Amino acid sequence: MTNDAQPRTQWLGRWGFVLAATGSAVGLGNIWKFPYITGEYGGGAFVLVYLACILAVGVPVMMTEIAFGRRGRGSPIDAIRRVAGEAGASPVWSLLGWMAMLCGFMILSFYVVVAGWSFAYLWKMLSGGLAGSSVDEMAAIFGANNESPLNLGFWSTLVTVATMAIVGKGVQAGIEKSVSWMMPGMVVMLAILIGYGAFSGGFGEALRFLFTFDAGSLSSEGMLAALGHAFFTLSLASGAILTYGSYLPGRASIARTTLSVAVADTVVALMAGLAIFPVIFANGMEPASGPGLIFMSLPLAFQAMPLGTLFGILFFVMLSMAALTSSISMVEATVSWLTDNKGISRRTASWGTGIVLWLISTLAMLSFNLGAEWTLAGKHFFDWLDYLTSRWMMPLGGLGMVLLAGFVLKNQAFREELGLSPAWHALWLFMVRYVSPLGILMIFVDALGIAKLQFGSHWPWLLLVLGVITVVGELASPRLKRAFDA
Ligand code: PFF
């Protein structure tokens, strides 16, 4: 059944939302982006900050977003406007919804290019194009794949068409079915690759690289990247989770679903790191090789394994599927807004969105060939889309939503939606009021060069102490008590 005529259809099965949200969260971010940015930002310290961001910012923001979606039963713009309106707050808050929708769209514009790499590598595996290649040849193959706009454009267009076709049909049946076998499949594939890595000679070095905390190796750029990636990997502040939340049945527990999604997402990312870095170190490759990292390293591992071609094919099938279950979630907000507000069918909305998407993603795709010279401040269009969304738009959108939920809106609405015990609710409120905003602000302040957040210096601690004093003061104040009781 499509949700053509009834935009607020709910998920079909009990696991519908968890599967769809996990499908959205687990994607290229876990397997392509996490390893390559970990490599670029020096390993362990980055991983630690990333995990802290997931826990302190990602989980509370995700709960808040789902609550907004379910309460407002609409696209991010409509849902936020409704929930704000219910509490007598200004409709201007719906700008957060606009930014989220734009953000999802911008991410998809470069995401389809990377998903296109995955499809292209699947084809190379199938046709034997990677067999017997050396480390250097792998790099050359990655380069050659990007050089022709026709080749690269073909694959990203294919992804765009596939995405819009699925969204056009309505997401439930498509995602609910595919994710339920794809996710376990992905975990098994990664486990096999980790098993291979354990004997490759690079495993010890990989473990050290991923899990040794060396505070000195972390720049403020790296912290901003870790925060941005926590948002990216959980699909936050991009409309996806909020819109999926708008189809969530009233009885489902938001906290429990959020935890399942966050844990699954984190496990897959760490598994990807453990699968990829041993190969990198055993073959003397550079961890900071950038976006091509997995495409240059994993095929090497496959070709050295028994039944490697078969595993390679399976792996790229899984990766392409993981990319698709994420990409459909990025446009769901736009398509749902169009069908709800413009009186057009889901199909028309999807293909219309697809055409605009195709134009912008083509520009992103050209960053790798014809447009190699078109840079602004040293970044290509592709890099700008990634940079603006991950580093700025998502954290800002998340900040806006937690502040709105924590301070502006009535506590009662979130009490009803979250349905937590008083103690857990107090913890959630504490997180969205103080911990998440303070975390986001600290990283922004540092990245903007306003103050330096060095682990050796005192000011982060000062901020923390100030934060704690504020919180204790407020917990003791009748105002917060009233808010809790409201
Ligand atoms: N979470 C996806 C990934 O890790 O690949 C990326 C993503 C999906 C970002 C959906 C934003 C979004 F709305």
Side-chain angles (χ1 to χ4, degrees):
M1 184 180 81
T2 73
N3 54 10
D4 238 326
Q6 311 147 280
R8 280 321 126 195
T9 313
Q10 299 184 354
W11 297 106
L12 299 174
R14 189 162 120 68
W15 293 100
F17 175 81
V18 176
L19 287 175
T22 307
S24 170
V26 175
L28 296 167
N30 305 63
I31 294 156
W32 159 74
K33 199 173 185 190
F34 173 71
Y36 105 73
I37 53 179
T38 301
E40 283 186 342
Y41 292 109
F46 174 87
V47 175
L48 193 75
V49 175
Y50 161 76
L51 292 175
C53 288
I54 294 273
L55 209 65
V57 182
V59 169
V61 170
M62 187 183 275
M63 287 174 66
T64 308
E65 245 191 76
I66 301 174
F68 267 117
R70 186 164 73 180
R71 186 83 177 177
R73 293 275 183 225
S75 70
I77 300 168
D78 299 324
I80 294 179
R81 190 175 20 76
R82 271 184 215 133
V83 178
E86 183 192 2
S90 161
V92 170
W93 285 103
S94 66
L95 280 177
L96 286 172
W98 282 101
M99 184 161 82
M101 208 165 88
L102 180 68
C103 190
F105 197 85
M106 285 168 70
I107 295 173
L108 190 53
S109 303
F110 74 87
Y111 205 84
V112 295
V113 179
V114 184
W117 287 339
S118 178
F119 278 85
Y121 269 69
L122 172 60
W123 174 246
K124 285 186 203 303
M125 275 281 171
L126 282 168
S127 60
L130 297 170
S133 304
S134 65
V135 174
D136 291 338
E137 281 163 349
M138 286 296 177
I141 291 173
F142 183 71
N145 187 53
N146 287 336
E147 248 158 45
S148 151
L150 278 182
N151 174 58
L152 202 55
F154 168 76
W155 294 109
S156 52
T157 303
L158 189 72
V159 177
T160 308
V161 170
T163 303
M164 290 351 260
I166 302 176
V167 176
K169 285 182 77 179
V171 287
Q172 287 99 331
I175 313 175
E176 284 193 43
K177 260 198 226 120
S178 58
V179 178
S180 58
W181 62 267
M182 192 205 76
M183 281 302 307
M186 193 86 212
V187 169
V188 171
M189 288 304 304
L190 286 174
I192 293 173
L193 280 168
I194 294 173
Y196 167 79
F199 296 104
S200 69
F203 201 67
E205 206 176 334
L207 276 180
R208 241 172 291 132
F209 181 73
L210 282 170
F211 299 113
T212 310
F213 179 74
D214 166 19
S217 69
L218 194 65
S219 57
S220 52
E221 250 309 279
M223 288 203 292
L224 195 56
L227 176 72
H229 190 63
F231 275 94
F232 184 87
T233 193
L234 293 178
S235 308
L236 299 176
S238 328
I241 293 295
L242 197 154
T243 311
Y244 279 5
S246 75
Y247 308 126
L248 183 66
R251 61 186 187 284
S253 155
I254 290 181
R256 234 175 275 142
T257 43
T258 298
L259 282 183
S260 324
V261 176
V263 168
D265 188 78
T266 307
V267 168
V268 174
L270 293 178
M271 285 182 84
L274 284 177
I276 286 152
F277 284 109
V279 182
I280 305 279
F281 290 123
N283 290 287
M285 299 169 89
E286 185 44 57
S289 306
L293 193 67
I294 66 162
F295 297 100
M296 296 188 242
S297 60
L298 286 185
L300 276 180
F302 287 124
Q303 101 188 344
M305 284 161 67
L307 296 179
T309 308
L310 181 67
F311 284 135
I313 292 169
L314 279 177
F315 178 82
F316 283 109
V317 168
M318 298 281 172
L319 187 64
S320 306
M321 294 282 302
L324 275 180
T325 54
S326 297
S327 59
I328 50 183
S329 73
M330 292 176 213
V331 272
E332 181 59 20
T334 307
V335 170
S336 126
W337 181 76
L338 285 171
T339 48
D340 287 354
N341 293 284
K342 300 290 163 202
I344 52 180
S345 72
R346 175 167 268 272
R347 183 179 292 261
T348 314
S350 301
W351 291 113
T353 309
I355 290 170
V356 182
L357 178 74
W358 183 80
L359 290 172
I360 300 176
S361 67
T362 299
L363 276 181
M365 179 277 287
L366 291 179
S367 296
F368 291 93
N369 35 65
L370 289 184
E373 310 280 296
W374 310 339
T375 58
L376 186 68
K379 283 188 180 27
H380 289 108
F381 186 61
F382 178 97
D383 307 325
W384 271 110
L385 288 171
D386 181 12
Y387 177 78
L388 284 176
T389 50
S390 283
R391 306 294 166 85
W392 301 101
M393 293 168 77
M394 287 195 256
L396 269 179
L399 180 65
M401 273 189 278
V402 287
L403 291 180
L404 176 62
F407 290 105
V408 181
L409 301 183
K410 290 211 185 71
N411 202 15
Q412 185 56 28
F414 286 89
R415 243 178 209 296
E416 281 169 18
E417 286 310 321
L418 298 174
L420 296 167
S421 71
W424 283 110
H425 191 81
L427 179 65
W428 169 80
L429 198 56
F430 173 71
M431 298 300 284
V432 296
R433 282 190 164 188
Y434 305 105
V435 180
S436 313
L438 224 66
I440 298 174
L441 279 178
M442 264 160 70
I443 293 178
F444 272 160
V445 160
D446 186 63
L448 290 171
I450 299 169
K452 273 282 139 239
L453 180 65
Q454 263 144 13
F455 287 96
S457 88
H458 298 303
W459 84 264
W461 304 117
L462 197 69
L463 238 178
L464 206 69
V465 172
L466 276 179
V468 171
I469 294 175
T470 322
V471 174
V472 172
E474 221 187 311
L475 273 176
S477 83
R479 208 180 123 240
L480 195 74
K481 281 221 198 65
R482 239 183 294 122
F484 281 152
D485 298 337

